[in-house]
Amino acid sequence: MEVTWNHYYGTVRKLSSFTGIWPFMSMRAKIFRLCFLTVTMLSLFVPQIAYQFTCKQNLQCIFESMTSYLLTSIAALKVYTFVVNIRKIREMTKHLYADWKLLESVQEYEIMKSYAENCRQFSLIYPIYCLACVCVFMSVSLIPQILDVIIPLNESRPILLPYPGYYFVDYKEYFVYIFWHSLVAFEIILAGIVAHDCMFMSYVEHICNIFAVLGYRFEYLFCNQDKIIENTKADLDSIYRKKIASFVRMQQEALKFAQVLESIFTIPFAIQLLVGTIGMSITLLQITQSSNFLKILRYALYVGGQLFHLFVLSFEGQKLMDHSYQTRDKIYSSTWYEAPMKSQKLLIMVMIRSLQPTCLSAGKVYIFSLESFSMVLQTSMSYFTVLASF
């Protein structure tokens, strides 16, 4: 069991351990890595704020600098969300391991493996995608220097900083040092964002997994009635009622898990959603206002990254809602009409509870779903048009 768990969740554990948010780390290692991550964030945040002060009353300059420190703020919020809620995170992580021991058949084991494999693939692909995007985003600033070597002009092309920041030195002379500091620092803080998202997805996939196993048990609950009658002298109705009662407890555990997840992330997600919407609106404005192709390219990469991040969260929220409805559908698809009358009445109660979807929200206002994702896009465009009118 330990080998299986490490196979599917080992990458998530390594990512979260690197950033200090893994709940079962030693206290010394956790403090050291969190301090290292915090210092890295501050090394970016200070130049970003300093650049803000150099803008004075230039709105275009202010908007340009906002996109960088908003990303740093989101990274800090994500990391310290886990730190503040360490006890709840520890209990939920224990469930990821303990629920493997409650499986009763090979089919249920295969269901569990399919959802765990989703977590494994996401934890492998998502970090590579994010880290590659940062490398591409930062490498855009090297293009003017490369063109000066390949296609030289009478004078050097203007230097493009990796991100809007003021380092209190001559950026032309120290460009190489600024570039490598920016690249390494942003990769480190992005590791905190990736670790947060991978662990969050692991929890959501686990809840969906519980609903899937529960639906499977309800769907095949009333099969092989003849074998049950032959192998036991107990009343068939009492057997079914005991099984349904155990299934209801399993459903309650899944709902409780979802409630804990909601209580941890609803406020941080509300802040992230607000910051992300503002960031996308400002970036879209910069795209329309800028005449520099390289800057437009970087803004487009930034908007694409924000949209992909929001889409992943919305997709997982939609998946959780669909799986919470699935219990009702599985019961209806079963041979419930062959069950005793008392058992049928219990099934009705379970189906009534399944009519209420299990969902994740941002501030109890925004429900993570694909429909809400399109609404955020419309809101961002609305803010963009308002800013553009000024």
Side-chain angles (χ1 to χ4, degrees), residues 1 22 41 75 78 91 100 133 156 174 181-182 199 209 214 217 242 265 296-297 301 310 326 336 350 383:
M1 185 64 67
W22 182 247
M41 291 178 183
K78 284 179 175 288
E91 291 300 319
W100 284 79
C133 286
S156 298
Y174 293 93
H181 167 263
S182 304
M199 288 192 70
N209 185 16
L214 182 64
R217 292 183 179 181
K242 288 180 181 179
F265 292 100
I296 294 175
L297 177 61
L301 290 173
L310 181 59
Q326 190 180 47
W336 55 269
V350 178
Y383 290 162

Side-chain angles (χ1 to χ4, degrees), residues 293-319:
F293 173 76
L294 296 180
K295 286 187 176 182
I296 294 175
L297 177 61
R298 292 206 307 187
Y299 295 145
L301 290 173
Y302 182 85
V303 172
Q306 290 278 21
L307 290 177
F308 178 75
H309 177 259
L310 181 59
F311 174 78
V312 169
L313 297 179
S314 300
F315 179 79
E316 287 300 311
Q318 183 68 54
K319 191 173 183 179

Side-chain angles (χ1 to χ4, degrees), residues 12-24:
V12 177
R13 178 178 58 82
K14 292 176 183 178
L15 285 171
S16 55
S17 297
F18 174 76
T19 55
I21 63 176
W22 182 247
F24 302 108

Side-chain angles (χ1 to χ4, degrees), residues 12-13 16 26 44 70-71 87 100 106 113 136 140 143 166 169 179 181 198 208 220 304 324 333 368 373 375:
V12 177
R13 178 178 58 82
S16 55
S26 64
L44 289 172
L70 287 178
L71 179 62
R87 291 184 179 180
W100 284 79
V106 177
K113 285 204 305 182
V136 173
V140 171
I143 294 180
Y166 180 66
V169 294
F179 173 80
H181 167 263
C198 287
C208 295
Y220 294 95
S324 64
S333 300
F368 283 105
F373 173 73
M375 182 184 69

Side-chain angles (χ1 to χ4, degrees), residues 91-259:
E91 291 300 319
M92 290 195 301
T93 308
K94 288 180 180 178
H95 276 287
L96 295 181
Y97 179 80
D99 288 345
W100 284 79
K101 302 178 181 179
L102 304 178
L103 304 178
E104 299 177 353
S105 65
V106 177
Q107 291 78 6
E108 293 179 5
Y109 187 76
E110 292 299 323
I111 293 173
M112 181 76 81
K113 285 204 305 182
S114 66
Y115 286 86
E117 182 63 29
N118 291 339
C119 297
R120 181 174 178 271
Q121 292 178 357
F122 182 82
S123 61
L124 290 174
I125 297 174
Y126 187 63
I128 295 174
Y129 165 80
C130 292
L131 297 178
C133 286
V134 170
C135 289
V136 173
F137 184 89
M138 293 295 172
S139 298
V140 171
S141 62
L142 296 176
I143 294 180
Q145 282 74 14
I146 296 174
L147 291 178
D148 284 340
V149 176
I150 300 175
I151 311 175
L153 300 176
N154 294 331
E155 57 182 13
S156 298
R157 292 175 172 82
I159 290 179
L160 179 64
L161 288 175
Y163 73 98
Y166 180 66
Y167 279 82
F168 306 97
V169 294
D170 185 359
Y171 65 88
K172 295 181 180 178
E173 181 179 355
Y174 293 93
F175 174 80
V176 175
Y177 300 100
I178 293 174
F179 173 80
W180 283 109
H181 167 263
S182 304
L183 179 61
V184 174
F186 269 108
E187 294 284 14
I188 291 174
I189 69 168
L190 198 69
I193 295 177
V194 168
H196 170 282
D197 294 343
C198 287
M199 288 192 70
F200 174 77
M201 184 197 175
S202 298
Y203 297 141
V204 177
E205 285 289 328
H206 185 67
I207 300 173
C208 295
N209 185 16
I210 296 175
F211 280 124
V213 172
L214 182 64
Y216 172 82
R217 292 183 179 181
F218 272 118
E219 187 174 10
Y220 294 95
L221 174 61
F222 304 110
C223 295
N224 301 321
Q225 291 194 35
D226 296 336
K227 292 182 179 180
I228 296 176
I229 295 174
E230 291 177 1
N231 296 332
T232 180
K233 296 181 180 180
D235 180 41
L236 186 63
D237 186 50
S238 63
I239 294 175
Y240 283 140
R241 278 186 288 157
K242 288 180 181 179
K243 287 187 176 182
I244 294 174
S246 66
F247 296 170
V248 170
R249 285 193 292 270
M250 183 178 179
Q251 184 187 36
Q252 292 300 319
E253 287 295 323
L255 295 174
K256 182 179 178 182
F257 196 106
Q259 290 174 357

Side-chain angles (χ1 to χ4, degrees), residues 275-289:
V275 171
T277 304
I278 295 174
M280 281 192 292
S281 303
I282 292 174
T283 308
L284 289 172
L285 178 65
Q286 293 298 311
I287 291 176
T288 60
Q289 297 294 321

